[in-house]
């Protein structure tokens, strides 16, 4: 680990045109910030840039059609490229620079805020207002957290490069190391270089790269949520044991669910997760054609797993046939970002025939299987009573275990079951917050990992967590191990960070593609601010504490930037591929309809 040294930020590309479609609010946010930061720097009065800003302001009347997820796109036609050697300091008097900057602030207020108010674009109004308050002297370098649009569609060989420079880079690529300070360079969807600042600066593709100044930020791989349920029951299904909770709250909601409500739930869940640094989810849900469309538009990776149940009384869930139809329609979509698997709700909801049909379906489509198991002692007792075997042994008997199977929870597995999971190469999705909230118990994570079982982290659903913050989930994953084993050495921050990143990717069969900051892998990159009081002090060298900060101090609210496949989806904590106000409004309306429908069925 290198000693911390100051990063001399040199101005670089700030705002460039693109063919990627983003919401109008993100467009204005980026280009307005550019003009403000420019005037706060060297007092520049570039007339072409001024004309660009005026054009963007005039374009504010273009609407963003959020309901159908199609957005108007405009260009910021001017790109200013300055280098350390070409940047000149204005010889104008200091007073003149202040006058110019003040004039441009007035232009923002008159030409952006007032038209936004007239047009009723509340999102633009709030973003522009925040920009006026956030004037900085960052020169031409884009600060981490500033809108930085992807210039080309991901995957092009000639894609412009992006350099995330000067942050504390934790690649999570095997060795427990950090580049402090370090950089990540990627072009299109592929990571080109990761390492110390000077080393990455020497890369041939560094020249002309769009530079993001990550000083004061941790730079980590995207987080993988390996067990999620979209839903709209948050805060309404409280203080119940698991099977009472399912019977009284969750299953009645499934009876009332419609495709439109299900889609709104996925839109809410995926947007919330993405905003907090999640780049990949495995979602067990219903009517998942809508979920696939949401994931494709939002830009997140998604593994879609329908609930399948066939025992008497559970005929309102998905079926093997509807799972087949989902696979036929979107076995792989959105250039591979969106995939479908085979799902089984629960051992006590599905017949042996359903399990065997699921295994055959997964083999036919060469895909994975996901289900729940051993979440409570009652479930284990029921399995022994009904089948004469513990749940994992029954899974083995029914033929679903294997390297492409992921089992959620595994709280009450014994040593023989752990050995069985390891022998088959079956992975586990650990959901500590859910297991605590439902009083299910603590999963034996130390034993599972020691036996060679891959363990990823999951939030479970919004109703049993009650948020989808994977950074927060890391903290609880560590603390739950410590308090239940009475061993303070368990739940090491590096172990937990691996579970949320590379182990999560391995759980989903994506570790060859993503999960670590490794050259050749996809550019799924997250920056996390370390500048808050709760992350102070940040120490380097032998006292390095950033991994501990990420697990124990940070939260999803500290995430500033998220790239998936090289596309800049979150900047400044703002999701650029969805209107968060509209997502919330859709979810609110859908939830109210869901509860009305559920009440009518009781």
């Amino acid at each position: 680990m290198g000693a911390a040294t100051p990063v001399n930020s040199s101005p670089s590309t700030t705002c460039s045109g693109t063919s990627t479609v983003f919401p109008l609010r993100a467009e204005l946010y980026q280009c307005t910030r550019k003009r403000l930061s420019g005037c706060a720097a060297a007092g520049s009065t570039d007339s072409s840039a001024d004309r660009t800003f005026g054009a963007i302001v005039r374009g504010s009347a273009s609407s963003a059609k959020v309901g159908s997820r199609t957005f108007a796109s405009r260009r910021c036609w001017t790109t200013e490229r300055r280098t350390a050697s070409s940047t000149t300091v204005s010889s104008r008097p200091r007073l003149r620079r202040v006058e110019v900057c003040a004039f441009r602030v007035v232009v923002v207020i008159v030409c952006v805020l007032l038209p936004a108010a007239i047009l009723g674009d509340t999102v633009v109004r709030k973003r522009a207002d925040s920009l006026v308050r956030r004037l900085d002297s960052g020169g031409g370098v884009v600060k981490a957290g500033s809108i930085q649009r992807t210039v080309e569609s991901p995957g092009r060989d000639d894609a412009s490069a992006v350099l995330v420079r000067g942050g504390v880079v934790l690649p999570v690529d095997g060795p427990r190391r950090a580049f402090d300070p370090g950089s990540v360079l990627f072009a299109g969807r592929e990571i080109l270089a990761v390492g110390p600042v000077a080393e990455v600066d020497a890369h041939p593709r560094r020249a002309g790269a769009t530079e993001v100044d990550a000083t004061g930020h941790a730079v980590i791989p995207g987080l993988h949520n390996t067990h999620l349920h979209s839903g709209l029951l948050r805060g309404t299904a409280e203080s119940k044991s698991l099977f009472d909770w399912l019977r009284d709250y969750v299953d009645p909601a499934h009876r009332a669910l419609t495709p439109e409500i299900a889609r709104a739930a996925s839109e809410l869940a995926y947007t919330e997760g993405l905003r907090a640094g999640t780049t990949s989810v495995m979602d067990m849900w219903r009517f998942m054609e809508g979920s696939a469309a949401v994931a494709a538009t939002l830009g997140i990776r998604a593994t879609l797993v329908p609930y399948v149940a066939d025992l008497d009384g559970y005929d309102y869930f998905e079926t093997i046939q509807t799972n087949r139809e989902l696979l036929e329609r979107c076995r792989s979509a959105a250039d591979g970002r969106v995939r479908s698997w085979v799902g089984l709700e629960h051992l006590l909801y599905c017949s042996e025939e359903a399990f065997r049909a699921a295994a055959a379906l997964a083999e036919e489509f060469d895909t994975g299987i996901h289900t729940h198991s051993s979440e409570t002692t009652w479930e284990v007792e029921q399995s022994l009573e009904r089948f004469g075997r513990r749940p994992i042994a029954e899974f083995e008997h029914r033929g679903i275990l294997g390297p492409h199977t992921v089992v959620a929870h595994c709280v009450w597995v014994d040593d023989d079951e752990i050995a069985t999971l390891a022998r088959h190469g079956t992975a586990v999705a650990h959901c500590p917050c859910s297991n605590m909230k439902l009083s299910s118990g603590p999963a034996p994570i130390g034993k599972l990992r020691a036996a060679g079982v891959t363990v990823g982290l999951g939030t479970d659903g919004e109703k049993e967590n009650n948020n989808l913050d994977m950074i927060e989930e890391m903290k609880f994953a560590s603390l739950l191990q410590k308090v239940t084993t009475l061993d303070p050495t368990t739940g090491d921050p590096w172990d937990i960070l691996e579970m949320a990143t590379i182990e999560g990717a391995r759980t989903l069969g994506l570790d060859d593609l993503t999960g670590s900051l490794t050259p050749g892998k996809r550019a799924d990159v997250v920056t996390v601010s370390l500048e808050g009081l709760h992350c102070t002090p940040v120490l380097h060298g032998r006292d390095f504490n950033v991994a501990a900060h990420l697990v124990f101090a940070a939260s999803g609210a500290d995430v500033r930037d998220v790239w998936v496949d090289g596309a800049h989806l979150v900047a400044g904590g703002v999701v650029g591929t969805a209107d968060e106000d509209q997502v919330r409004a859709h979810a609110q309306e859908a939830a109210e309809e869901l509860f009305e429908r559920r009440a009518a069925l009781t």
Side-chain angles (χ1 to χ4, degrees):
M1 185 186 309
T5 57
V7 178
N8 296 320
S9 301
S10 58
S12 182
T13 306
T14 57
C15 181
S16 57
T18 178
S19 60
T20 305
V21 178
F22 276 77
L24 174 63
R25 61 187 180 82
E27 187 94 39
L28 283 173
Y29 177 80
Q30 180 192 23
C31 296
T32 303
R33 182 179 176 87
K34 175 190 179 304
R35 296 311 316 141
L36 292 175
S37 62
C39 74
S44 169
T45 57
D46 184 350
S47 60
S48 64
D50 287 338
R51 288 194 297 272
T52 296
F53 183 62
I56 292 296
V57 170
R58 289 192 298 273
S60 65
S62 297
S63 62
K65 190 177 180 184
V66 179
S68 62
R69 319 311 311 157
T70 60
F71 300 95
S73 177
R74 288 190 175 272
R75 288 180 179 269
C76 181
W77 288 285
T78 300
T79 301
E80 290 187 59
R81 298 181 182 272
R82 298 191 181 95
T83 62
S85 60
S86 63
T87 302
T88 59
V89 178
S90 173
S91 61
R92 297 171 182 170
R94 187 175 193 73
L95 179 61
R96 173 58 178 161
R97 293 199 300 269
V98 172
E99 289 171 348
V100 169
C101 187
F103 172 74
R104 289 179 180 168
V105 171
V106 171
V107 169
V108 172
I109 295 171
V110 173
C111 296
V112 178
L113 296 182
L114 292 181
I118 294 169
L119 292 168
D121 189 341
T122 58
V123 176
V124 173
R125 187 164 61 253
K126 287 188 290 186
R127 298 289 175 258
D129 183 58
S130 69
L131 290 177
V132 174
R133 294 193 302 267
R134 292 173 58 190
L135 274 170
D136 58 56
S137 56
V141 177
V142 179
K143 293 290 291 182
S146 301
I147 290 291
Q148 181 56 50
R149 297 168 59 178
T150 303
V151 178
E152 288 89 5
S153 300
R156 284 180 49 171
D157 294 336
D158 61 345
S160 295
V162 175
L163 176 67
V164 182
R165 185 177 189 271
V168 181
V169 178
L170 289 78
V172 200
D173 58 350
R176 293 186 171 182
R177 59 177 178 165
F179 300 110
D180 183 13
S183 298
V184 178
L185 178 69
F186 56 90
R189 66 178 58 175
E190 182 179 343
I191 296 174
L192 302 177
V194 180
V197 170
E199 180 181 308
V200 178
D201 278 351
H203 192 279
R205 292 297 302 273
R206 190 265 183 263
T210 298
E211 182 178 329
V212 177
D213 180 5
T215 304
H217 292 71
V219 184
I220 62 174
L223 305 173
H224 294 260
N225 188 343
T226 62
H227 185 63
L228 164 70
H229 299 290
S230 294
L232 295 168
L233 302 182
R234 195 187 324 247
T236 67
E238 306 297 333
S239 304
K240 290 276 189 178
S241 63
L242 175 63
F243 283 91
D244 289 341
W245 174 79
L246 289 170
R247 182 192 64 227
D248 297 341
Y249 290 97
V250 179
D251 291 350
H254 276 294
R255 290 181 181 273
L257 197 63
T258 68
E260 295 75 20
I261 294 173
R263 176 171 176 147
S266 290
E267 185 179 46
L268 177 66
Y270 301 171
T271 305
E272 179 185 350
L274 179 64
R275 165 64 187 83
T278 295
T279 58
S280 166
V281 299
M282 178 146 72
D283 185 18
M284 178 175 274
W285 190 224
R286 307 256 322 278
F287 304 114
M288 299 201 81
E289 288 81 2
S291 303
V294 167
T297 299
L298 192 62
I300 198 170
R301 297 190 190 280
T303 302
L304 309 177
V305 187
Y307 280 102
V308 168
D310 69 333
L311 290 180
D312 290 345
Y314 301 108
D315 56 350
Y316 47 88
F317 280 93
E318 299 296 315
T319 66
I320 291 294
Q321 179 57 33
T322 61
N323 202 150
R324 170 181 291 278
E325 291 168 1
L326 178 68
L327 287 165
E328 289 171 346
R329 292 170 184 163
C330 49
R331 162 65 183 81
S332 179
D335 203 16
R337 278 191 299 101
V338 180
R339 313 175 301 166
S340 298
W341 278 19
V342 178
L344 292 160
E345 206 291 343
H346 211 280
L347 180 62
L348 305 183
Y349 283 25
C350 301
S351 67
E352 183 171 338
E353 291 74 23
F355 271 77
R356 297 194 182 282
L361 188 62
E363 182 176 2
E364 177 184 348
F365 283 87
D366 189 25
T367 191
I369 300 174
H370 186 39
T371 188
H372 307 86
S373 187
S374 307
E375 194 170 353
T376 67
T377 55
W378 183 84
E379 177 193 345
V380 175
E381 292 165 358
Q382 287 294 303
S383 179
L384 287 167
E385 181 180 323
R386 298 186 193 186
F387 314 120
R389 302 180 186 88
R390 293 177 66 89
I392 299 302
E394 184 64 15
F395 281 1
E396 184 177 41
H397 169 72
R398 296 185 181 192
I400 68 159
L401 296 184
H404 303 300
T405 296
V406 179
V407 182
H409 303 302
C410 291
V411 173
W412 295 104
V413 289
D414 65 12
D415 290 347
D416 288 341
E417 290 177 296
I418 291 173
T420 298
L421 291 169
R423 184 170 65 253
H424 286 280
T426 297
V428 169
H430 175 43
C431 305
C433 285
S434 171
N435 295 159
M436 288 189 289
K437 185 183 176 190
L438 294 172
S439 300
S440 299
I445 299 305
K447 285 187 174 182
L448 285 162
R449 298 187 83 222
V453 176
T454 298
V455 180
L457 282 184
T459 60
D460 215 341
E462 40 71 53
K463 57 196 175 300
E464 60 266 34
N465 190 297
N466 289 17
N467 66 44
L468 306 179
D469 184 342
M470 279 289 291
I471 295 181
E472 180 181 271
E473 203 73 31
M474 287 198 290
K475 178 174 183 173
F476 283 103
S478 176
L479 298 186
L480 182 59
Q481 289 183 56
K482 293 177 185 296
V483 74
T484 55
T485 63
L486 301 182
D487 180 358
T489 67
T490 61
D492 177 83
W494 286 99
D495 287 339
I496 302 300
L497 188 60
E498 288 172 358
M499 289 167 62
T501 55
I502 186 61
E503 292 298 301
R506 187 168 292 122
T507 297
L508 301 178
L510 295 172
D511 51 307
D512 288 340
L513 193 71
T514 182
S516 63
L517 300 179
T518 304
K521 285 191 175 184
R522 298 293 176 86
D524 294 357
V525 184
V526 173
T527 69
V528 183
S529 174
L530 300 172
E531 296 178 332
L533 297 177
H534 56 291
C535 289
T536 302
V538 176
L539 302 176
H540 310 275
R542 67 180 184 181
D543 298 314
F544 182 80
N545 63 352
V546 172
H549 279 348
L550 288 169
V551 173
F552 297 123
S555 74
D558 296 312
V559 169
R560 293 294 176 265
D561 297 277
V562 179
W563 290 266
V564 177
D565 258 359
H568 201 177
L569 305 181
V570 176
V574 178
V575 178
T577 47
D579 184 322
E580 293 180 43
D581 290 339
Q582 290 286 351
V583 169
R584 183 175 180 275
H586 292 163
Q588 180 70 28
E589 182 180 355
E592 291 173 2
E593 180 183 351
L594 176 64
F595 278 81
E596 289 176 1
R597 289 175 56 83
R598 190 177 74 172
L601 295 175
T602 58

